[in-house]
Amino acid sequence: MLEGTIKRAGLEDIFEKILSGERLSREDGLRLFESRDLLTLGRLARMVRERLHGRKVYYVINRHLNYTNICQNRCRFCAYWRAPGDPEGYVISPEEAVRRLSEGPPPREIHIVGGVNPELPYEYYLELLSAVKEAFPEAHIKAFTCVEIDHLSRISGKSVEEVLKDLVAAGLSCIPGGGAEVFSHRVRERLFPEKIPAERWLEIAKIAHRLGISSNATMLYGHIETYEERVDHLLRLREVQDETRGFLCFIPLPFLPQKTALSGEVSPTTGFEDLKMIAISRLLLDNIPHIKAYWVFLGVKLSQLALQFGADDLHGTVVEEKISEASGGREAKALSRAEIERLVREAGFEPVERDAFYQPVN
Ligand code: SF4
């Protein structure tokens, strides 16, 4: 029966490759994106996710902290940033960060990212990490995207290696995957010319991996990028991963245009496209262990469905996240452990609470 549907979808050769564990090519990736047979894509991706993780779905008790919205990069797809001097701009002090993170259950993972704020000194970042680590010694701190790390290198005059070593000494455990957006030079020039180039993002990820610091990787899709550019993005990540094995998880992020400069020009992604993106990520990224259904951007209901389309990670409890909220992000602001476990069980999977490195915890 599976063979019949795969034949009708014209994907027999790709199915054979997946069965035998053979790597999919750029052309295969494009054919998958061009397919409209979503259920077949989902079945193929589910085969792969079950081979890797069985029925397990991971989640973490975590908190997000967005320490500043002041940013000099002015990306056109972002509704979060404010210019220096804007009355709506903010910076959270290390003390305030600890106070906010202390509300609610103790987190196992603390996710810290913010704008590229020209007014903050290098010491601020180290003080922020030290204060949070001191208050939550058991938690892993996943902080600062490659974009912020590049900025820290510039303002301190230190190399990326030195910056990373300083951050680790202050409490950093690993790096989040943001700032990758889409690696296409064409898209970067049109939507975020001030942001570091793709090559720099990948270089910083590689440096971190070589120092033993794991990271995640994202892709912001559903704006002006083409399918070719999506495939290229995924294959560039796969190439780095062949070299370093440092990426833990890939997170496809649907673009939320509502409050951005692209509102009216670009429509929000559809559920069909979101599930297709999850499935193809699982199929092309054969060397990145985890694919995340990031409910903060996807919405809770679609994230639950994404578990049947190749995702094995439902992210975490979150509580507060300002970046998607500024873009008119989805309904829920937080999920409890019980809510996450219910979503996972109802979809036919087994919830596994994890730490930042996907180690199961009680
Ligand atoms: S996406 Fe990040 S770097 Fe770009 S404007 Fe927003 S906060 Fe700044």
Side-chain angles (χ1 to χ4, degrees):
M1 181 174 162
L2 179 58
E3 280 78 0
T5 46
I6 285 168
K7 199 167 172 196
R8 277 194 295 284
L11 299 173
E12 302 105 302
D13 54 331
I14 292 181
F15 175 57
E16 289 303 325
K17 282 188 178 179
I18 292 167
L19 269 188
S20 62
E22 195 183 324
R23 174 161 279 189
L24 300 186
S25 65
R26 184 176 297 269
E27 200 206 356
D28 295 332
L30 268 178
R31 279 174 57 207
L32 293 171
F33 272 115
E34 274 152 17
S35 170
R36 295 197 181 269
D37 196 334
L38 180 62
L39 292 181
T40 301
L41 297 182
R43 289 177 90 166
L44 294 174
R46 204 164 69 233
M47 263 170 51
V48 175
R49 70 86 72 212
E50 284 182 7
R51 193 186 293 158
L52 290 169
H53 306 291
R55 307 300 293 168
K56 293 188 177 108
V57 169
Y58 297 90
Y59 74 95
V60 64
I61 303 296
N62 69 342
R63 299 293 302 263
H64 282 223
L65 181 81
N66 301 126
Y67 59 92
T68 183
N69 64 348
I70 297 170
C71 185
Q72 63 190 24
N73 276 358
R74 301 174 298 199
C75 304
R76 287 190 71 214
F77 64 81
C78 176
Y80 174 67
W81 69 275
R82 294 291 178 273
D86 187 309
E88 288 181 10
Y90 72 81
V91 174
I92 293 177
S93 68
E95 300 71 34
E96 174 65 8
V98 168
R99 193 195 62 72
R100 289 191 188 194
L101 293 169
S102 302
E103 292 163 3
R108 288 208 184 261
E109 178 187 286
I110 299 172
H111 177 111
I112 303 177
V113 292
V116 176
N117 185 337
E119 293 167 345
L120 287 174
Y122 186 61
E123 292 67 36
Y124 166 86
Y125 299 85
L126 303 180
E127 283 163 19
L128 177 65
L129 283 182
S130 303
V132 172
K133 190 67 189 170
E134 196 185 330
F136 304 96
E138 305 291 320
H140 291 133
I141 304 179
K142 184 171 74 182
F144 311 134
T145 65
C146 295
V147 175
E148 290 158 285
I149 290 166
D150 173 77
H151 175 68
L152 292 181
S153 168
R154 284 165 199 262
I155 60 172
S156 65
K158 295 186 174 198
S159 67
V160 168
E161 284 88 346
E162 289 170 320
V163 167
L164 286 168
K165 285 178 185 168
D166 285 350
L167 296 176
V168 168
L172 181 87
S173 301
C174 51
I175 297 176
E181 321 309 354
V182 178
F183 292 143
S184 153
H185 182 66
R186 180 191 73 89
V187 173
R188 298 183 97 81
E189 281 295 295
R190 281 193 56 195
L191 296 191
F192 42 102
E194 308 290 332
K195 195 167 250 177
I196 56 170
E199 292 68 28
R200 179 67 168 161
W201 191 97
L202 291 163
E203 181 196 356
I204 292 172
K206 281 203 241 180
I207 294 170
H209 297 171
R210 278 202 293 271
L211 291 173
I213 304 167
S214 304
S215 73
N216 289 341
T218 57
M219 174 167 75
L220 185 74
Y221 67 93
H223 39 87
I224 61 163
E225 87 291 354
T226 62
Y227 281 156
E228 283 83 357
E229 286 162 337
R230 287 193 204 177
V231 172
D232 183 66
H233 184 100
L234 295 171
L235 297 196
R236 287 175 87 172
L237 290 174
R238 190 169 81 178
E239 201 178 303
V240 169
Q241 183 73 341
D242 276 342
E243 201 180 314
T244 66
R245 299 280 155 185
F247 290 123
L248 290 169
C249 180
F250 176 68
I251 308 142
L253 300 172
F255 175 51
L256 307 172
Q258 291 90 321
K259 296 187 186 166
T260 72
L262 297 175
S263 167
E265 231 177 280
V266 175
S267 305
T269 60
T270 60
F272 189 94
E273 200 59 26
D274 291 335
L275 292 176
K276 187 194 255 193
M277 190 63 231
I278 291 272
I280 298 172
S281 305
R282 179 63 289 163
L283 293 170
L284 283 187
L285 295 174
D286 53 21
N287 54 3
I288 297 187
H290 302 282
I291 303 292
K292 182 174 295 197
Y294 188 49
W295 63 259
V296 179
F297 273 56
L298 276 180
V300 174
K301 291 182 179 183
L302 199 59
S303 297
Q304 184 192 34
L305 274 184
L307 303 178
Q308 290 283 356
F309 284 77
D312 64 279
D313 180 4
L314 201 51
H315 193 57
T317 44
V318 178
V319 180
E320 179 179 288
E321 200 279 341
K322 296 284 183 199
I323 297 172
S324 74
E325 196 179 306
S327 308
R330 321 285 168 157
E331 71 288 6
K333 303 257 182 292
L335 289 176
S336 66
R337 177 190 271 121
E339 283 168 320
I340 291 180
E341 296 212 344
R342 176 173 163 238
L343 291 166
V344 173
R345 288 211 168 87
E346 226 177 49
F349 294 96
E350 173 201 336
V352 177
E353 189 185 333
R354 64 166 176 86
D355 65 12
F357 299 99
Y358 288 84
Q359 295 305 308
V361 295
N362 289 331

